[in-house]
Amino acid sequence: MTEKSWAGGVKDGTFYDKHFTPRIKNIVTDEGMTYSIYYLTYYIYEGDEGRIGITALGLMSDSQTELVGIGKK
């Protein structure tokens, strides 16, 4: 299952921050463990144009505990 959400900020009718946070859920391993993967993607970020694209990636347990996270959130 994939879950996704959009967020961002608008000033005077123009986006200055627009990002997307998809989550791939219910990944089951051969040992029966369940995990989720999330990542943060910026499409517009006036504060730092170097953050355009995937800026964070993480692996979460089935109890929603982050096991590994890299990048800027």
Side-chain angles (χ1 to χ4, degrees):
M1 172 195 333
T2 302
E3 179 181 289
K4 51 194 165 201
S5 64
W6 285 94
V10 177
K11 183 177 181 182
D12 297 327
T14 302
F15 277 100
Y16 63 87
D17 171 5
K18 189 171 186 180
H19 58 276
F20 181 62
T21 311
R23 182 180 302 253
I24 303 166
K25 300 174 83 175
N26 299 321
I27 301 167
V28 181
T29 67
D30 293 341
E31 291 82 28
M33 302 294 292
T34 304
Y35 297 97
S36 297
I37 296 172
Y38 74 86
Y39 59 96
L40 173 62
T41 303
Y42 276 92
Y43 291 95
I44 300 169
Y45 191 70
E46 286 185 3
D48 181 359
E49 290 188 12
R51 290 185 72 168
I52 303 299
I54 295 175
T55 61
L57 177 71
L59 176 67
M60 299 183 83
S61 69
D62 57 352
S63 63
Q64 299 304 304
T65 301
E66 185 174 64
L67 303 172
V68 178
I70 58 172
K72 298 178 185 179
K73 293 182 184 177

